[in-house]
Amino acid sequence: MPVVDVDPDELRHLTGHDEKDDEELKSDLFDLGLEFEGWTEDDEFQLEFAPDRLDRLSVEGVARSLRYHYGDDRGVYVPTTNSAEWTIEVEDQPEERPYVTGAVVRGLDMSEDALESLIQVQEKLHATMGRKRAKGAIGVHDLTMLKGEAASDGTGKSITYTSADPDEATFVPLDADREMTPNEVMAEHETGQTYGDLVADFDRVPAIYDAIGLFSFPPVINGRRTEVSEDSRDLFIEMTGTDQWTIDRMCNIVCYALEARGGKVERVEVQYADDAPGEYAGRTLERPDFEVRTKTVTLDRIESILGVDLDPRDVVDYAERAGLDATETRSEDGVSFEVEIPPYRVDVIHPLDVVDDIGRALGFNSLEPTYPDVSTVGGRHERSRLEDAARDTLVGLGFEDLLNFHMTNEAENFDRMNVAPDDDCVGAAEPVTIQEPYSEDYTILRTWALPSLMMVLENNTHRRYPQDLAEIGLAAWLDDTENTGAAEHRTVAGALARTDASYEDAKARLQAIAEAFDEDLRTPATTHPSFIDGRAAEVVLDGESVGVVGEIHPSVLVEHDLELPVAAFEFRLDALE
Amino acid sequence: MKRPQAQVAVLQAADAQEDRRIDGVAEEADLVPEAATRAAFELEADGLVTVTEATLEHYDLTEEGERYVRESLPEQDLYEAAIDAGADEESVQMGQVIGASGLEGGAVDIALSNFARKGYGRIDSGEITADPDAAPGRDPEMHALEAVADGRAEDADADALDQLERRGLLEISEQTVRSVRLTDDGVTALMEGVEAAETVDQLTPELLTSGEWKDVEFTEYNVEADAEDVPHGKEHILRQTANRVKDTLVGMGFREMEGPHVDAQFWINDCLFMPQDHPARTHWDQFALERPDEIAHLPEDLVERVRSAHKNGVGPDGEGYHSPWEEEVARGLDLRGHTTSLSMRYLSGHEIGELEPPERFFSVEKVYRNDTLDPTHLLEFFQIEGWVMAEDLSVRDLMGTFTEFYEQFGITDLEFKPHYNPYTEPSFELFGTHPETGDVVEVGNSGIFRDEVLSPLGVDCDVMAWGLSLERLLMLMYGFEDIRDVHGTLCDLELLRETEVMR
């Protein structure tokens, strides 16, 4: 879940509630779903919250939510914007990263706190909506350091989002003191090494130029020339990405944060060339996109979800307290509301999301629980009943019932049992394998359960004997005839570790199980690499060969550091059906 | 008449004329004293003997007392040395006498104080004189010591015994002594003849069928001694917990679901309206499979509806996600990260046919997460998953159902904290009060499935669902601190054996 660091003094300042002490603030934040996780080294709150309200990734966003919560603000707020002076011309940009958006914010007083918050909201947006910059990446520049070209339509100034040869273009990136090419940045610069992979296989890399030259290499790093400092007053914000909607919404969240700091938002025109890749070729977009969307939701739906009757005026009130605006409309179908959604609310994508906001404003915990007045007949799945019956039988025979992991590795499942996947015996099968396992202990699903029991014996040689262990659990292997490509079975395994364990001990228990389930048991001799030759048999239940029983081979015992004999069996649970 | 062996022995050893001590009787009858005493009381209850009790003083010499019996009292040694030095005629330097007596250390003080007390002579200004008539050879304390040592304490002088106890040479304790005497009935019984009943170790089928059991006596066991360990099996504690949960849910009208552990991302994630570029869908969180890598068949119409929900949303105001959606990704196989995949399969109608409301379903099954192994997190664990399908379900119904469920496990005062899940809206994290510690703890995650989930599945009523980890419930109920001790091959057999069963 996202974590945001927030200075409580900043919160008091931005909400205008100097009287709130830290504890009150924490409690109010908890009510909003922002949980206090601890203090940062700089005495800031560390707040954790669910990843829907990404507009709360800045102290300004958190303060805005608090002001609605306190009732200081109501309804939708959309900042006014000044008309565009700057244009982003888009041409020959990489088709893998075709989209760009932007805004200008002027008149900021960038205190240390404001600068920190701006850096934080960028980082947090990169990590969430931006999908680690792959989907959207933000660049913020000191506007006074940009030298615009004359825009192609003759009015205002422009910069250009295009592509560059990664070995030719040069600029001085942030945190560096020399000119570098994009390839050098990716190879040598710390940030370049982190994010270079995103564009490493592009023929030409994303690049933004002004009249002076290259000043940003998105999504990797900005140039040093336009670095924002506490002296910066006017900012140019650009975002590039793989989805226009996503970067436009990221841009909105940043603009709202800066506007709350006293900045004045100025629109930017994004002019896609006629032959530019992507969905907007030939079109000009005015950004930021502060369009207010609407969702229509009926009073019926609100009432049925919340389980209470509501006065339409109260619905409007709850909506406003949530920072939305609701307009009541009546038709022959009943009362419904047209609800306006502010441009920073990226999480509202369906009328149900509005109902949730209304429920939160109403206070879900004020609702009285009711037990749904519908009757259904309960019952266990038949396989689960079978598994329980078999487990009860094993426990009755004195077995300790075990529960082991289904995931294991080839060494445990095969090698240490003397079995190879292509042998023709119980346990031998091509296993289900995990992609990019990060622990070598867990690389496959087990094809049988006896190796798990042997591992438990191995780990408990210091414990009392006899150790009679059993497990009923999953075993799986590759099988083309299955829809998922994997056959999944429940398997029954038992092991008797005692100084005088013999084949007869294991068979005696098998007989008892067969009798309990009224199955005919036969045990024709077989060979199995995990068992001693001449002391191993197939388990044949009602004519079908379903498992193996015998005395474990000394080499397997020694491999598992065991100093006493083990008799064991394993068979498929469905044989007992 | 037949009487148990011990009773016969006591009867025969008892006398009609005099009380006989039971310890003596026991010795004669070759019984342990406790058995003889018990037999005596049994006989008394039948009126064949009387049992009387007396309190006797019992004397034991201390180690020092025993030494003096073997040698002599220190004051006697001093007296002899004094006579040898001529102190019976005139006073002698005390040091000279002590040196000659061979007394050392604490014995010197003992000798000097008793010498004076008993009037063997006088000690004055470092000189010693001896009374020639003192006759320490007839010392009553020495006599008493010797009497006790010979078991003739009754011959000893009472004052001397007290003195010996004060000197720490003797320990006096009280002892209850029981004696038996034959009554007239007892005499009659003996005259008529009393036989010992046979004693047996093991009750046998022959004894039962022949009726001989009526005449036999069973040898007594030490019933307090520990018995041998019996190897015994027990259902795994997590299975017991799972069954407790299953029982509870079946009782609440839920039916159990069942389905594949290896499943397509389609069922695990896409049906749940998780965007394909959702951070939790990377292999860092879920186990994607190398082999098998793709499901053979997905219901085509359902795939199209799910794609449309992701791309365009559901309903006139639905927006969907601005994320890529590829069927190829949906076909990829994972180990399921949650059993909500089963809920999707059941709700789609592709598992057991179309469902009509109302329905309740659950499962308690394993799920797999690529998490860091630590005391509270395992790579595989059990998820309790449950859902209710009905017309017009409200969050109040959700609250009522879950309140009922958790109260079955002693978790009360449920709180519903509004939360966010991609697949439910509204969503709630569930918090409850721990039955033992009183702490408020997270006990689950819940919500009402979004239209974007239900509509593609063809469900046009409401479905509310919740999930929680079984291990978490177990840890709350049992206070286990490290789940690895019970689940997996690192388990400790002793801990499993010692864990109390769930009731």
Side-chain angles (χ1 to χ4, degrees):
Chain A
M1 294 218 287
V3 173
V4 61
D5 299 337
V6 167
D7 180 347
D9 289 335
E10 283 275 286
L11 268 190
R12 281 184 275 266
H13 168 65
L14 288 166
T15 57
H17 282 271
D18 288 336
E19 80 289 357
K20 294 267 180 187
D21 67 24
D22 288 352
E23 291 311 310
E24 283 176 89
L25 280 179
K26 283 185 206 168
S27 160
D28 297 338
L29 290 165
F30 186 86
D31 290 343
L32 285 177
L34 293 138
E35 269 179 71
F36 176 78
E37 289 290 301
W39 293 92
T40 68
E41 285 175 5
D42 303 325
D43 293 331
E44 298 185 336
F45 289 174
Q46 248 180 352
L47 302 173
E48 193 186 58
F49 61 102
D52 53 340
R53 293 296 300 269
L54 299 177
D55 58 295
R56 292 172 176 165
L57 285 171
S58 64
V59 61
E60 298 85 0
V62 173
R64 179 176 54 240
S65 287
L66 272 178
R67 287 183 55 82
Y68 281 113
H69 185 63
Y70 294 147
D72 296 340
D73 288 334
R74 293 179 71 84
V76 173
Y77 171 70
V78 181
T80 56
T81 53
N82 289 339
S83 53
E85 182 190 0
W86 287 78
T87 300
I88 304 174
E89 298 193 349
V90 191
E91 55 188 22
D92 297 329
Q93 83 279 29
E95 59 181 19
E96 301 93 330
R97 201 173 182 86
Y99 303 114
V100 65
T101 192
V104 166
V105 182
R106 294 186 191 265
L108 287 160
D109 177 11
M110 292 299 282
S111 65
E112 191 186 338
D113 292 331
L115 193 56
E116 260 181 34
S117 179
L118 178 62
I119 291 167
Q120 174 168 254
V121 73
Q122 284 183 70
E123 281 176 4
K124 303 290 178 181
L125 281 172
H126 280 153
T128 52
M129 282 187 87
R131 306 288 193 244
K132 297 184 176 145
R133 302 196 192 185
K135 198 173 187 180
I138 306 165
V140 181
H141 310 271
D142 188 329
L143 183 69
T144 56
M145 302 308 291
L146 284 178
K147 184 169 172 15
E149 307 257 14
S152 52
D153 63 4
T155 61
K157 306 168 180 172
S158 77
I159 59 171
T160 305
Y161 176 48
T162 182
S163 59
D165 184 319
D167 285 317
E168 298 273 320
T170 57
F171 70 124
V172 183
L174 290 173
D175 304 319
D177 48 17
R178 64 183 176 91
E179 295 238 312
M180 298 172 90
T181 66
N183 270 344
E184 284 169 342
V185 168
M186 288 187 270
E188 298 162 30
H189 194 285
E190 197 184 331
T191 314
Q193 288 161 350
T194 308
Y195 295 102
D197 283 351
L198 293 170
V199 294
D201 54 1
F202 290 16
D203 290 337
R204 291 174 63 82
V205 295
I208 308 179
Y209 288 85
D210 68 353
I212 298 169
L214 180 64
F215 69 92
S216 181
F217 167 31
V220 180
I221 196 163
N222 291 344
R224 192 167 154 183
R225 162 159 62 96
T226 58
E227 183 175 3
V228 175
S229 71
E230 286 176 40
D231 300 327
S232 306
R233 291 183 52 80
D234 301 339
L235 303 181
F236 191 99
I237 299 151
E238 46 78 13
M239 304 197 190
T240 61
T242 56
D243 180 71
Q244 185 74 47
W245 185 93
T246 302
I247 56 177
D248 282 342
R249 294 304 163 290
M250 290 168 72
C251 186
N252 289 352
I253 288 170
V254 173
C255 285
Y256 263 81
L258 289 171
E259 201 264 348
R261 289 278 176 187
K264 184 71 194 167
V265 179
E266 177 181 304
R267 295 191 295 278
V268 164
E269 286 190 353
V270 180
Q271 224 170 68
Y272 285 96
D274 291 341
D275 57 353
E279 292 172 31
Y280 296 91
R283 289 176 57 184
T284 298
L285 311 176
E286 278 231 321
R287 291 295 181 261
D289 177 9
F290 282 171
E291 186 204 350
V292 172
R293 294 164 297 151
T294 62
K295 304 283 171 210
T296 302
V297 57
T298 65
L299 181 61
D300 268 0
R301 193 61 181 138
I302 299 171
E303 288 180 334
S304 100
I305 291 286
L306 300 182
V308 288
D309 292 336
L310 291 169
D311 186 318
R313 282 170 301 186
D314 288 338
V315 174
V316 172
D317 178 49
Y318 294 137
E320 288 177 358
R321 278 157 53 183
L324 313 173
D325 276 324
T327 311
E328 183 187 334
T329 57
R330 285 173 188 272
S331 71
E332 52 208 40
D333 297 334
V335 179
S336 55
F337 302 90
E338 193 163 285
V339 183
E340 295 181 16
I341 318 297
Y344 55 84
R345 286 294 300 274
V346 294
D347 57 310
V348 179
I349 56 174
H350 190 276
L352 259 181
D353 299 312
V354 172
V355 180
D356 183 57
D357 267 28
I358 289 169
R360 287 177 194 239
L362 166 84
F364 281 116
N365 273 299
S366 69
L367 299 174
E368 190 71 29
T370 49
Y371 195 78
D373 185 20
V374 291
S375 168
T376 51
V377 177
R380 297 279 291 268
H381 194 280
E382 60 181 5
R383 201 227 65 232
S384 143
R385 291 203 311 270
L386 174 66
E387 193 177 317
D388 260 21
R391 186 170 289 117
D392 283 351
T393 307
L394 288 167
V395 167
L397 288 167
F399 285 102
E400 189 73 38
D401 175 40
L402 291 186
L403 187 58
N404 289 305
F405 297 138
H406 298 158
M407 282 189 287
T408 182
N409 56 72
E410 310 223 359
E412 296 290 355
N413 192 72
F414 298 121
D415 305 348
R416 302 186 73 211
M417 299 298 291
N418 287 349
V419 170
D422 54 1
D423 285 346
D424 179 20
C425 65
V426 171
E430 288 300 328
V432 170
T433 56
I434 290 157
Q435 212 181 81
E436 301 180 57
Y438 74 11
S439 160
E440 61 186 24
D441 293 336
Y442 305 103
T443 57
I444 63 169
L445 285 186
R446 66 183 185 187
T447 58
W448 57 329
L450 212 43
S452 306
L453 298 187
M454 294 302 292
M455 286 167 77
V456 175
L457 289 175
E458 180 177 21
N459 290 327
N460 282 278
T461 51
H462 57 305
R463 295 306 189 190
R464 281 178 289 158
Y465 285 99
Q467 293 178 5
D468 296 352
L469 312 180
E471 179 172 7
I472 302 180
L474 184 85
W477 51 85
L478 299 185
D479 182 346
D480 288 344
T481 65
E482 297 285 342
N483 190 26
T484 59
E488 297 180 14
H489 288 281
R490 294 311 190 279
T491 186
V492 182
L496 303 154
R498 38 176 76 196
T499 48
D500 57 354
S502 72
Y503 173 84
E504 199 183 336
D505 294 322
K507 174 152 183 189
R509 284 157 179 82
L510 268 185
Q511 284 173 189
I513 296 166
E515 187 177 347
F517 287 83
D518 191 24
E519 299 284 339
D520 172 55
L521 170 71
R522 286 191 304 112
T523 52
T526 187
T527 57
H528 188 293
S530 304
F531 294 87
I532 300 175
D533 278 353
R535 299 185 178 190
E538 280 179 62
V539 175
V540 177
L541 285 171
D542 276 0
E544 195 186 349
S545 179
V546 293
V548 65
V549 55
E551 287 181 26
I552 298 288
H553 198 280
S555 63
V556 175
L557 298 177
V558 170
E559 169 65 31
H560 288 85
D561 288 334
L562 295 176
E563 294 175 350
L564 77 186
V566 174
F569 58 79
E570 175 152 358
F571 63 92
R572 280 166 49 169
L573 175 67
D574 56 17
L576 300 179
E577 269 170 6
Chain B
M1 102 168 113
K2 285 197 174 182
R3 290 244 157 211
Q5 172 69 36
Q7 288 187 25
V8 173
V10 170
L11 262 184
Q12 286 172 343
D15 193 299
Q17 309 303 319
E18 58 163 353
D19 286 344
R20 298 200 58 187
R21 283 178 56 168
I22 288 182
D23 46 2
V25 169
E27 204 173 315
E28 202 171 301
D30 201 17
L31 293 171
V32 292
E34 292 79 10
T37 305
R38 192 163 48 243
F41 280 119
E42 284 161 1
L43 289 167
E44 189 189 33
D46 291 343
L48 302 181
V49 300
T50 55
V51 179
T52 53
E53 290 185 1
T55 304
L56 288 186
E57 286 194 328
H58 185 79
Y59 304 95
D60 282 307
L61 292 184
T62 63
E63 227 174 274
E64 190 182 355
E66 282 177 358
R67 192 169 71 243
Y68 293 159
V69 171
R70 288 195 304 274
E71 298 164 8
S72 51
L73 292 168
E75 59 267 29
Q76 290 176 314
D77 298 343
L78 185 65
Y79 182 81
E80 269 172 45
I83 296 293
D84 289 351
D88 50 341
E89 291 170 3
E90 56 182 329
S91 60
V92 179
Q93 281 290 320
M94 199 162 67
Q96 182 193 338
V97 174
I98 291 172
S101 73
L103 292 167
E104 279 177 4
V108 175
D109 284 341
I110 295 172
L112 288 173
S113 62
N114 286 301
F115 182 90
R117 176 173 64 82
K118 293 182 176 175
Y120 286 4
R122 281 187 300 112
I123 295 168
D124 197 14
S125 313
E127 305 216 325
I128 189 165
T129 55
D131 178 350
D133 304 323
R138 292 195 297 277
D139 188 303
E141 289 177 22
M142 192 61 190
H143 273 240
L145 271 182
E146 284 166 352
V148 171
D150 290 351
R152 300 177 285 103
E154 60 275 16
D155 296 345
D157 178 68
D159 291 343
L161 288 173
D162 289 344
Q163 192 62 43
L164 289 175
E165 188 187 24
R166 274 199 291 278
R167 284 183 71 172
L169 306 181
L170 185 68
E171 281 171 359
I172 303 178
S173 56
E174 288 196 338
Q175 197 184 15
T176 301
V177 173
R178 296 193 181 89
S179 303
V180 291
R181 185 191 291 223
L182 277 180
T183 62
D184 291 346
D185 286 351
V187 172
T188 311
L190 271 179
M191 293 201 332
E192 287 171 355
V194 177
E195 278 180 59
E198 195 184 345
T199 66
V200 298
D201 287 330
Q202 182 70 48
L203 181 58
T204 62
E206 291 74 25
L207 285 173
L208 284 168
T209 51
S210 66
E212 262 184 84
W213 60 270
K214 290 179 208 153
D215 298 324
V216 302
E217 184 191 356
F218 295 97
T219 45
E220 288 171 8
Y221 296 150
N222 179 356
V223 293
E224 289 183 36
D226 284 338
E228 246 182 275
D229 284 334
V230 175
H232 58 286
K234 198 164 53 177
E235 197 172 39
H236 193 277
I237 185 63
L238 259 175
R239 295 285 186 194
Q240 295 180 41
T241 315
N243 280 342
R244 203 27 236 288
V245 171
K246 290 181 183 187
D247 283 350
T248 301
L249 288 168
V250 168
M252 290 172 73
F254 286 77
R255 279 160 75 191
E256 192 174 13
M257 298 183 289
E258 158 81 23
H261 295 240
V262 171
D263 210 351
Q265 290 211 25
F266 180 74
W267 295 110
I268 302 172
N269 293 318
D270 293 294
C271 284
L272 277 170
F273 200 51
M274 299 269 284
Q276 289 193 341
D277 64 355
H278 194 281
R281 285 185 70 162
T282 66
H283 76 273
W284 294 110
D285 291 280
Q286 306 200 355
F287 289 106
L289 297 179
E290 178 92 34
R291 290 193 311 164
D293 61 352
E294 204 178 87
I295 198 162
H297 171 76
L298 289 175
E300 271 316 308
D301 49 344
L302 182 54
V303 169
E304 284 317 307
R305 291 199 299 270
V306 168
R307 182 208 306 273
S308 169
H310 280 251
K311 296 303 282 184
N312 312 314
V314 161
D317 280 346
E319 292 181 33
Y321 291 125
H322 297 267
S323 294
W325 199 93
E326 304 290 339
E327 184 173 340
E328 191 189 335
V329 173
R331 300 181 88 89
L333 290 166
D334 277 7
L335 296 179
R336 65 188 181 203
H338 46 223
T339 41
T340 319
S341 57
L342 304 184
S343 302
M344 296 300 106
R345 284 174 165 271
Y346 274 66
L347 283 166
S348 74
H350 285 273
E351 200 67 29
I352 56 167
E354 292 294 330
L355 302 178
E356 288 298 321
E359 291 282 6
R360 288 182 174 90
F361 275 91
F362 81 97
S363 71
V364 183
E365 287 282 343
K366 263 206 179 161
V367 298
Y368 309 81
R369 300 262 173 97
N370 207 349
D371 216 329
T372 314
L373 269 175
D374 67 29
T376 57
H377 291 93
L378 296 175
L379 300 184
E380 34 185 288
F381 57 93
F382 284 87
Q383 183 188 332
I384 304 169
E385 160 96 3
W387 49 268
V388 181
M389 173 202 233
E391 304 287 354
D392 293 333
L393 284 172
S394 72
V395 295
R396 295 177 59 195
D397 295 322
L398 176 150
M399 293 170 169
T401 299
F402 303 149
T403 301
E404 197 67 35
F405 173 79
Y406 286 101
E407 277 182 0
Q408 300 293 317
F409 297 89
I411 297 164
T412 56
D413 302 324
L414 218 57
E415 279 180 47
F416 299 83
K417 187 183 157 212
H419 187 60
Y420 168 75
N421 298 316
Y423 40 89
T424 53
E425 183 82 313
S427 311
F428 302 96
E429 279 185 308
L430 307 177
F431 289 82
T433 304
H434 189 279
E436 305 292 327
T437 65
D439 293 341
V440 173
V441 288
E442 190 187 336
V443 294
N445 188 352
S446 69
I448 296 177
F449 278 130
R450 296 184 69 97
D451 288 0
E452 291 95 330
V453 173
L454 294 179
S455 173
L457 296 171
V459 175
D460 57 5
C461 59
D462 293 325
V463 179
M464 64 190 199
W466 92 110
L468 95 136
S469 111
L470 180 71
E471 278 82 348
R472 176 150 188 88
L473 190 64
L474 173 76
M475 292 173 96
L476 285 178
M477 294 173 73
Y478 268 82
F480 282 118
E481 279 169 10
D482 192 337
I483 195 65
R484 291 171 294 192
D485 286 343
V486 295
H487 191 167
T489 49
L490 292 176
C491 72
D492 181 347
L493 277 183
E494 206 60 23
L495 184 72
L496 288 180
R497 286 167 169 164
E498 286 169 359
T499 302
E500 61 178 308
V501 296
M502 173 154 299
R503 52 254 163 200

